[in-house]
Amino acid sequence: MDTTQLLKGVLDVAVLAVVEDEDGYGYDVLRRLRAGGLAEVGDASVYGTLRRLYAAGALTSYVVPSDEGPHRKYYGITPTGRAQLTTQTKDWETFAETVTALLSDTHAVTQQAQPEGARS
Amino acid sequence: MTMTTPGTTDLHPETTAFLATVRAHLSDLPEEERDELLDGLEADLSEQLAEGGTLPDPDGYAAELRAAAGLPAGPAARAPRRRKPIKGQLVGAPDVLRARWLELTRHNDLTRTGWSLLETLRPAWWVLRAWVAVTLVDVMSGGYENVTLVPSLGAALVGPAVLVVAIVVSTLIGLGRLWPGSGPDRTPLARLVLAGLNVFAVLVPFSFHYAGSQPEIYRPTYARAVAVDTGPPVLRLGRDVIRNVYAYDAAGQPLQGVQLYDQKGRAIAVAPQSSMGRGAQREVTCPWFNGTTPLFNVFPLPQRSQRYGTCLGHPDPAKVGPQAFQEPPLASLPPATLPAEPTG
């Protein structure tokens, strides 16, 4: 299955989740997502998502100057972002349960149906 | 700008190029939005490289960035010709260069002001390149003539008329009304052609040969032109360079002020940089004048001792000798006659 398609749907909530406890800059967020198991997540997707969440008011951003190089842009979660995270987490759980149930039911049905098909 | 601040010059060059390409892909966005989107990316990319990672394909990266940020597909993504990567790179190259250049000019206030000043001077460049084009034609069509403010082109009024037309055409091109036009929204061929022509127009004047001037005699706007690839015209007799010419009349007496022309009406002139001897013995030839135009085809040419440079250069008056005619190599010659016409 093409997991990149699935990833698109959950990237918002995943990004919100990894900055919930600690602010992070772009590459940092990417690392946390990959460390969390989303190995295939594209860096541009993460940056774009950060930007979109920021534009929507779910994230704040601030710049931290660096002595030895270009400055870093950190993102932190806002109350709006927390609310969105809570809602979307619930949505995801419901959705995941539904799909899991659906898949296992269908699996069971198919298994039951197969002997009948073999008989006829 | 926020992207590049002073003191960040230790960037990987590939990071800079990568950013420029991505930036070019976002060129349709308002500047503020673009900066917002790319802000901090530099640091992240540097870190990624430092950890041994590699930079992704900038075209795909930009497309992914746009999609994830909820922006419409970019101008480059909409163009179907970007499918071939090599061609795509060529097509994008002017944008990348442009983006990188603009990035550089934003480096600080001084470069920003300087660049905006230069941009306002674009019309002056349009006029200048028209002049260069007409002058080039002038120089190439004539044998050995002066580079003048208004090219002569051989006949009265032709030069000024052609120059006016050339300025109008050049300006129309600059305004984007005539092919190959100006600005980013053009075919790669048109951009390449214009860039080539502009570079040519910048380089060509270096092939014009400019002599110096003598301020006490005339204004320093005068110059003398020859095409560099043929070398400065030099009079030769066999392998010897002729540096002065002495004419005698039929009676064998030396003449002064003889103007020489060949069978096509071209001036037979010695090179303005003609000189004889070395060190303290060095002598340069000085021209005759028609108004302010120096003539090196009127003989004999006066000479003067001068250690460096040419007679028309800017020599230190204290270091040059008086200008004078040298004694002719031969005081007089036997008289010459034509054979008597056979009568009958």
Side-chain angles (χ1 to χ4, degrees):
Chain A
M1 180 180 283
D2 186 4
T3 48
T4 53
Q5 289 299 321
L6 290 179
L7 207 51
K8 273 182 193 164
V10 296
L11 198 51
D12 283 21
V13 68
V15 165
L16 286 172
V18 297
V19 295
E20 189 193 7
D21 294 329
E22 193 186 347
D23 296 355
Y25 54 91
Y27 188 58
D28 199 16
V29 170
L30 182 70
R31 241 184 334 222
R32 290 182 202 172
L33 288 171
R34 286 186 176 158
L38 299 179
E40 285 170 44
V41 69
D43 37 359
S45 298
V46 173
Y47 292 123
T49 302
L50 284 169
R51 168 68 195 149
R52 193 162 35 74
L53 289 172
Y54 168 76
L59 296 176
T60 56
S61 89
Y62 54 95
V63 158
V64 177
S66 160
D67 288 339
E68 69 257 36
H71 62 241
R72 288 228 156 86
K73 191 173 185 179
Y74 276 78
Y75 289 92
I77 199 161
T78 63
T80 315
R82 272 184 213 286
Q84 187 179 332
L85 178 60
T86 312
T87 322
Q88 289 189 343
T89 306
K90 274 182 193 150
D91 289 349
W92 168 256
E93 281 164 358
T94 314
F95 180 76
E97 271 168 32
T98 310
V99 175
T100 309
L102 181 81
L103 289 178
S104 53
D105 282 357
T106 314
H107 190 63
V109 168
T110 322
Q111 275 192 331
Q112 280 171 359
Q114 240 169 2
E116 279 172 34
R119 245 179 270 147
S120 62
Chain B
M1 281 298 102
T2 44
M3 282 292 299
T4 313
T5 44
T8 61
T9 45
D10 55 340
L11 264 182
H12 292 272
E14 60 262 47
T15 313
T16 316
F18 179 87
L19 278 171
T21 311
V22 174
R23 185 167 272 272
H25 278 284
L26 304 173
S27 57
D28 58 316
L29 301 178
E31 190 172 307
E32 201 179 323
E33 169 127 33
R34 192 165 59 228
D35 287 340
E36 189 70 51
L37 204 50
L38 295 177
D39 198 15
L41 195 56
E42 209 172 311
D44 288 343
L45 288 172
S46 303
E47 184 167 341
Q48 201 168 336
L49 276 182
E51 286 190 356
T54 50
L55 292 176
D57 165 45
D59 299 341
Y61 187 93
E64 193 181 328
L65 188 63
R66 292 184 79 109
L71 296 163
R78 275 197 295 265
R81 63 170 176 273
R82 291 198 60 85
R83 289 227 180 108
K84 284 185 182 175
I86 299 283
K87 200 175 174 191
Q89 273 175 13
L90 283 176
V91 169
D95 288 322
V96 173
L97 283 175
R98 187 187 165 93
R100 210 179 298 178
W101 174 253
L102 291 178
E103 198 68 56
L104 274 177
T105 62
R106 293 199 195 98
H107 198 69
N108 60 40
D109 282 345
L110 192 70
T111 54
R112 197 160 37 234
T113 314
W115 179 241
S116 62
L117 188 70
L118 277 179
E119 277 189 314
T120 60
L121 288 176
R122 285 178 76 204
W125 164 242
W126 299 339
V127 172
L128 185 65
R129 71 183 175 191
W131 178 84
V132 167
V134 179
T135 301
L136 179 69
V137 172
D138 194 22
V139 167
M140 287 178 61
S141 59
Y144 184 51
E145 55 182 295
N146 302 335
V147 167
T148 45
L149 189 59
V150 178
S152 61
L153 283 174
L157 293 180
V158 172
V162 171
L163 182 61
V164 167
V165 171
I167 289 173
V168 170
V169 169
S170 172
T171 306
L172 286 176
I173 291 173
L175 293 171
R177 307 261 176 85
L178 268 185
W179 196 87
S182 181
D185 302 322
R186 290 171 298 136
T187 64
L189 179 68
R191 302 181 77 163
L192 199 65
V193 166
L194 187 71
L197 285 175
N198 275 338
V199 169
F200 186 64
V202 168
L203 295 181
V204 153
F206 290 106
S207 76
F208 299 160
H209 182 257
Y210 304 97
S213 61
Q214 273 178 316
E216 72 274 16
I217 300 178
Y218 53 86
R219 310 286 304 162
T221 48
Y222 144 85
R224 182 163 281 252
V226 293
V228 141
D229 53 354
T230 59
V234 167
L235 272 188
R236 286 179 188 278
L237 185 63
R239 290 172 61 189
D240 282 348
V241 174
I242 297 172
R243 303 178 194 279
N244 214 338
V245 173
Y246 293 88
Y248 297 80
D249 63 12
Q253 295 305 308
L255 294 174
Q256 215 164 67
V258 177
Q259 307 194 45
L260 292 187
Y261 287 86
D262 73 356
Q263 72 283 357
K264 287 185 178 170
R266 294 174 297 198
I268 300 177
V270 304
Q273 54 277 78
S274 175
S275 69
M276 289 149 267
R278 287 177 188 282
Q281 272 75 50
R282 187 175 184 270
E283 295 228 329
V284 294
T285 47
C286 293
W288 293 63
F289 284 91
N290 172 17
T292 59
T293 307
L295 304 169
F296 283 92
N297 68 325
V298 187
F299 298 103
L301 295 166
Q303 293 175 206
R304 74 176 180 209
S305 63
Q306 185 176 322
R307 280 183 165 233
Y308 307 101
T310 66
C311 191
L312 290 175
H314 292 276
D316 183 348
K319 290 186 179 170
V320 301
Q323 182 173 313
F325 292 105
Q326 296 298 108
E327 280 297 309
L330 303 165
S332 67
L333 295 177
T337 54
L338 283 170
E341 292 280 319
T343 50

